[in-house]
Amino acid sequence: MDRRIQGIPASPGIVVGYVHLLRWEVPDVRHRIIPDECVKDELEKLQAAIARAKERLHHLRTRVEATAGAEEAAIFDVQLSILDDRELQRGVEDLIRQNLGAEKAFDLVMLEWRTRFARHAAPMLRERVGDLTDVHIRVLSLLLGLPDHDPVDLPPGANAILVTHDLTPSLTVQLDRKSIVAIATDAGTRTAHVAILARSLGLPAVVGLRTATAELKGGERVVLDGSTGMLAINPTDEEIERYHERQREEETAEAALADLAALEAITLDGVRVTLRANVDIPEEAEAAARSGAEGVGLMRTEFLVVGRANMPDEDEQYRAYRRVVEAFAGMPVVIRTFDIGGDKLPVGGFPTEPNPFLGWRAIRMCLDQPEMFKVQLRALLRAAVHGDLRIMLPLIITLDEVLAARKLLEEAAVELKERGVEYRADVPLGVMIETPAAAVASDTLTRDVDFFSIGTNDLVQYTLAVDRGAANLAPRFTPLHPAVLRLIKRTVEVAELGDIEVAVCGEMASQPLMAFALLGLGVRQMSVAPRSVPLVKRIVRSVTAAHAKLAASAALRALTAEQARHELARRLADVIGDAPYLYDGLPGDG
Ligand code: PEP
Ligand code: MG
């Protein structure tokens, strides 16, 4: 083997494949002056590159239309129309006639167009900057003879491991699953949405590799171990066999845990814990229902939207929510309204912000676009007829947002009534506690909401001011920090006093040691990735709530996250032995 690169485990599974390096960025272009006699050739070169780019876009359009439908494929029409734009072409041709090389001429005109569009007063035109950038990259790559880095177009069966600097959830959902078998990124962490999504899609992934794109050229054979976060470059046949062995061991361990699915999540001293599943895409619902989860604690509806150019209409949303509700036949299904923004964006239509996680995200975006929000609310009220659906609002910081959302919910119900459509009016409305504001002031919310769900991914990010997706900060993303533990404790106490239910649905609940801490802090409902349900159940069934409470008290007294971890690990090891998975979960699990 040449070498290994260690990253952060993001989605389990061991895959042997070939590196497909994705550098979807505008290449550097040298200034090149051409003599008069070359102008004609350069003009032809430009036309040939444009024609080739159009051919590729038509091809992509056909592929995406077949796999994702006509609406998705429409993205490519915009790019095709840019390539057909006469004004743009004339601009480039004029510069070539002034003796500039075709690639530099094209580069300069595209830069000017992108700047002009980005500053345009009309949002419709600002939205086109992403398409212009794609066209810029595509044509320049052709003019410069660079390798084809197309992110969505690979031959089926290529067994490609996509290696890239960073990946957005919108690109992740578009990946062609017939050819891409795993993802590896320089950036990202376990709680980045690309990692969460990879787990939901069942795509093995390693993130936070930092130097992978710099160290790889493309085409190398690699083993990606999504469970330990390792990328082995040019492995020998014996090494590959060892990985297969590990793969078999993992499968056996999981099969043993699966036997727990039918058992109750109850501690040795008889405290009952409700374990639910996080569902990110509706197709996951049936498998999640088989995991032993007692309902859905968080459905992330924004994954219906990311990677698409259009919002799903009411009927499409209704079908998606109904599918999840019916898969869980009568069990509670908590569906969160769109948490669009941050790192989860549809294609086009949304402004780029200097601080997206502090920006126009989630409930803020929904309340500012009531017509769009009400489409979702109507779909939810209709789906609620089919089971125990509950609605949850993300990123709440103040009661005003809850009241405004409730008003829109009432309007949505009136609209359905006027249309004569069947719906349920008395749907419980809960909120995510995922900002320090919501946790500290949780007492201001209890009167007007039906339940809390603590989103530790964002709560940790906003409390500690540590970007949840930044690989270089991953060691500083410490859910056991005293501030986080105190905020969780406070929220649980406030919920108890206010007599409303409280759950934890962030990744923290998936990790055995932290699940033990949460139990000790009084949490009696947790929602975790379906794959983690049996593991957390095992922890719950192996300890007493009394012991967990003592451990949590010690953790709360600790001065640092590391000390808290030590206190908890020591006490958990007392009852459950010293299994390595106790400390971080099944590797890559989450
Ligand atoms: C969270 O923030 O903990 C959460 C569950 O929501 P998301 O990860 O989708 O932001
Ligand atoms: Mg969140």
Side-chain angles (χ1 to χ4, degrees), residues 37-109:
E37 59 272 24
C38 291
V39 165
K40 189 164 162 284
D41 285 354
E42 292 292 310
L43 288 172
E44 278 168 12
K45 223 170 103 184
L46 173 73
Q47 284 310 325
I50 290 177
R52 177 85 187 104
K54 279 164 70 175
E55 226 175 85
R56 302 273 300 142
L57 283 169
H58 278 297
H59 175 69
L60 270 176
R61 191 189 190 296
T62 314
R63 282 229 348 224
V64 172
E65 187 162 3
T67 51
E71 287 186 352
E72 296 314 287
I75 301 167
F76 299 108
D77 287 340
V78 177
Q79 299 189 14
L80 280 163
S81 68
I82 294 171
L83 283 171
D84 275 333
D85 192 290
R86 270 313 295 157
E87 187 196 335
L88 189 142
Q89 287 194 22
R90 256 199 308 274
V92 184
E93 286 164 3
D94 285 350
L95 288 179
I96 295 176
R97 289 198 187 91
Q98 290 166 39
N99 302 82
L100 210 52
E103 67 286 352
K104 192 66 198 173
F106 187 79
D107 189 38
L108 287 177
V109 172

Side-chain angles (χ1 to χ4, degrees), residues 193 336 339 361 432 434 455 457-458 468:
H193 282 107
R336 177 173 78 184
D339 183 8
R361 179 185 164 188
M432 302 251 339
E434 53 182 348
N457 304 335
D458 278 316
R468 62 191 275 181

Side-chain angles (χ1 to χ4, degrees), residues 67 72 101 152 232 260 265 287 297 305 323 341 379 381 386 433 435 458 522 549:
T67 51
E72 296 314 287
V152 268
L260 290 171
V305 181
R323 176 171 179 174
L381 292 177
H386 304 281
I433 303 291
T435 59
D458 278 316
K549 190 170 178 185

